[in-house]
Structure formats: structure tokens, C-alpha cells
Amino acid sequence: MSIRHFDELTKKALHSWEKRGTVVVLEEAQKITFNAMCKMLMSLEEPNELEMLRKDVAQVFQAMLAFPINLPWTTFHKGLKARKRIENTLAKIINERRRVIEYSNEHDLLQFLLSGEQSSDGPLLPSLTNKQIHDNILTLIIAGQETTANAITWMVKYLDENQDVQETLRDEQLKIKETSRASSLTVDDLNKMSYASKVVKESLRMASIVPWFPRVALEDCELEDFKIRKGWIINIDAKAMHLDPSVYQDPTRFHPPRFHELSKPYSFLAFGTGVRTCLGMNLAKYMMLAFLHRLITTYRWESMDSDLTLEKRALFSRLKSGCPVRVVRCQTSSTN
Ligand code: HEM
């Protein structure tokens, strides 16, 4: 994904915050990440179409945890209907692109999936049906949007609670802003964000957005004194690992400098590990860094969160309130 595009979306969204005064961070982050991903995947930018699709994806997402009873008033039923509408919208987009594929020079995943079939050196990819392309696109949206939006929200919350970290971060980011030549962030700028990268990592550790993930034992084995039988389902408890005092000293303290030192192997599981490591790991980190840069160089904020509980019916670790904040523009800032 072009960092420039994500940065532009963030700047535009943040620009509107000043007038509103109070915003719910999760809702804002959901919109920005959704729009960025739709652009990256299929160059979709039409605002009404994006908004309709976003609402349908949210409905599908809710239905994933619902009891599977297909009656008109159930969340499950509404999810199935939303999925049908998504299928229709994506089919329209895919068919249209197939029609103009030879002349189109979009740099998105859809173009890659379709033109791979037509390479002059022979097929790079097997021919994919509309359904396979649709499933790939929807999987990436579902895996990438909510996770990243929640990660951004937790990061904003932790920084509000840790003003000393916020000030160190602001110093770093203002320096980068002063020296950056382009009006939009570049990969070079992101690579200079040494302290911010640790803020991102520490937020992911503390929040454990994907708190656990399941595996199936392929053969009988023994782990320490535990005997595990072939076929058992084992949950990897990333959250317990991230908060284990024998792994991380003072684990409930938000302390980014802890990552100056190399972590123990397999101790940081925010993006999983091994062959199933998150496919969007670098993209997610870049989105978080770019958001952080714009937020901290534009605003100071204060959390208005009176409800600190977690959403119970959610796939990912998420604040029920979505983290409402009151923002005040920094005196030297500009989102342009
Ligand atoms: C902060 C944001 C994110 C977090 C915390 C996160 C976390 C994870 C975790 C823990 C896994 C491994 C699950 C397992 O081992 O069973 C995973 C897998 C995956 N993630 Fe992410 N993810 C994030 C962002 C993204 C983004 C932006 C994308 C896509 C653009 C993405 C696409 C995927 C995919 C496709 C997989 C499955 C990989 C496979 O099974 O081979 N993720 N993610």
C-alpha cells in the first residue's frame, strides 16, 4: 500500500477533528483503515460505495460470533444478507476490471490477481474465479481492518495514560516532521521512527489484539510435563505470555524502552509466529506509525473514557467505549 495514500487519508480525517472537539478513536480508525485497505486491494474510493461496504463488512464481522440461527431477526441472518451484498458489489468491481484489464494500470491486489493469469511468460498464478478473488479480498479486509483499528485505539489510550512517553514521542516526531522534505510521509521517514516503533510494539504487547490463537496437534508430544495427544486443539495464549513477569519485567507498565533490548524468542506474539505469522504485519506497523505521527504532531488529547471495560462479544481485544477523546490542536501544528 502506498504510505502516501494512508497518510493523506489520516490527514484528512484529523483535519475534521478540530471542529468536532470530541471524537471516538475506534470509529475514526475503522474508517481510515477500511478506506486505505479498499484502495490497496481494489482501488475503491467512491465515498458512498465505501460506506455501504464498510457497514456490510461490520455486519459480517458481528455475525461471525453469533449463534448460527438463520431467522430474519437474527444477527447471523443479517450477516448472511450483508455477505451477499458484499459479493454483489465485489463481483461488479471484479467483472469491470476483467473487462478493461489490458488497458488498466492500477497498482492494487485485484490487478495483480487478474493480470497474473495473463502474463506473457506463461501463467504466474492459476486462474482464479470471481469467488476465489472475492474470498481473498474479504479475508484481507477482515483480518486487517479491525485489528489495526483496535491497535491504533489502544495506542492512543496508553499514550494518554503515559504523558512522559507521549512527550518523548512528540519530540522525536516533531524532529522528523521538520526534516522531512515531502508533504506526505515516506518509507524513509517511517524508518527513522525508532522510539515510535517501540511505542507501537509496546501497545501491541499490552493490548494483545489477538489474545490467543488455536492450533491442532499433528502428533502426540510432550511439552514440559504435559502430554498432548494427536488431534487435540491447543490454544496459544499470547496475552498470558505478554503479561508474564518472568518474560517481561513489570509487565503491566507501559514502557516502550523495554524493547531497546532484544526480546526472548517467541515472547512477542502480537502477530503470531512461524509459518502462520501475520501476512499484514509490516503494513499494520506502517499504518500505526503514520497515524501516530500525524496525531502527535497535530493534537494533544485527553481521554473521556468513563467505561474501561472490554467488549465481551468481540473477536479481538477491544474497548467497549471505542475510546472517546477530546482534542486540542498543538500550537505549531498543521495537517497540511
Ligand atoms: C495490528 C494489526 C494486526 C494484528 C494484531 C494481527 C494479528 C495477527 C495474528 C496474531 C495472526 C496469526 C493468527 C494465527 O497464527 O492463527 C494473523 C494472521 C493473519 N493476518 Fe494479521 N494482524 C494485523 C493486521 C493485519 C493486516 C493489515 C492484514 C492484511 C492486510 C492481515 C492479514 C493477516 C492474514 C491474511 C493472516 C493469516 C496468515 C496465515 O494464516 O497464513 N493482518 N494476524
Side-chain angles (χ1 to χ4, degrees), residues 37 40-41 139-152 204 208-215 236 238 269-273 275-285 287-288 316:
M37 295 208 47
M40 169 187 81
L41 297 171
T139 300
L140 288 174
I141 294 178
I142 286 182
Q145 185 225 355
E146 271 291 315
T147 44
T148 312
N150 275 292
I152 286 175
L204 290 166
S208 296
I209 306 293
V210 183
W212 52 266
F213 30 92
R215 293 288 182 272
I236 318 279
L269 297 176
F271 292 107
T273 185
V275 285
R276 306 303 298 265
T277 298
C278 175
L279 210 66
M281 177 170 70
N282 289 329
L283 174 61
K285 285 188 201 162
M287 289 197 272
M288 290 174 75
F316 306 126

Side-chain angles (χ1 to χ4, degrees), residues 181-234:
R181 292 195 191 147
S183 64
S184 291
L185 285 171
T186 61
V187 174
D188 260 4
D189 293 328
L190 298 182
N191 288 337
K192 285 183 206 149
M193 297 183 181
S194 153
Y195 190 72
S197 301
K198 295 181 181 82
V199 169
V200 164
K201 200 166 174 185
E202 180 69 336
S203 305
L204 290 166
R205 178 191 71 81
M206 293 262 295
S208 296
I209 306 293
V210 183
W212 52 266
F213 30 92
R215 293 288 182 272
V216 178
L218 293 179
E219 50 191 59
D220 288 353
C221 54
E222 202 169 320
L223 263 185
E224 302 200 336
D225 286 339
F226 294 99
K227 287 189 173 51
I228 297 166
R229 297 268 172 258
K230 180 178 173 181
W232 281 12
I233 294 173
I234 308 292

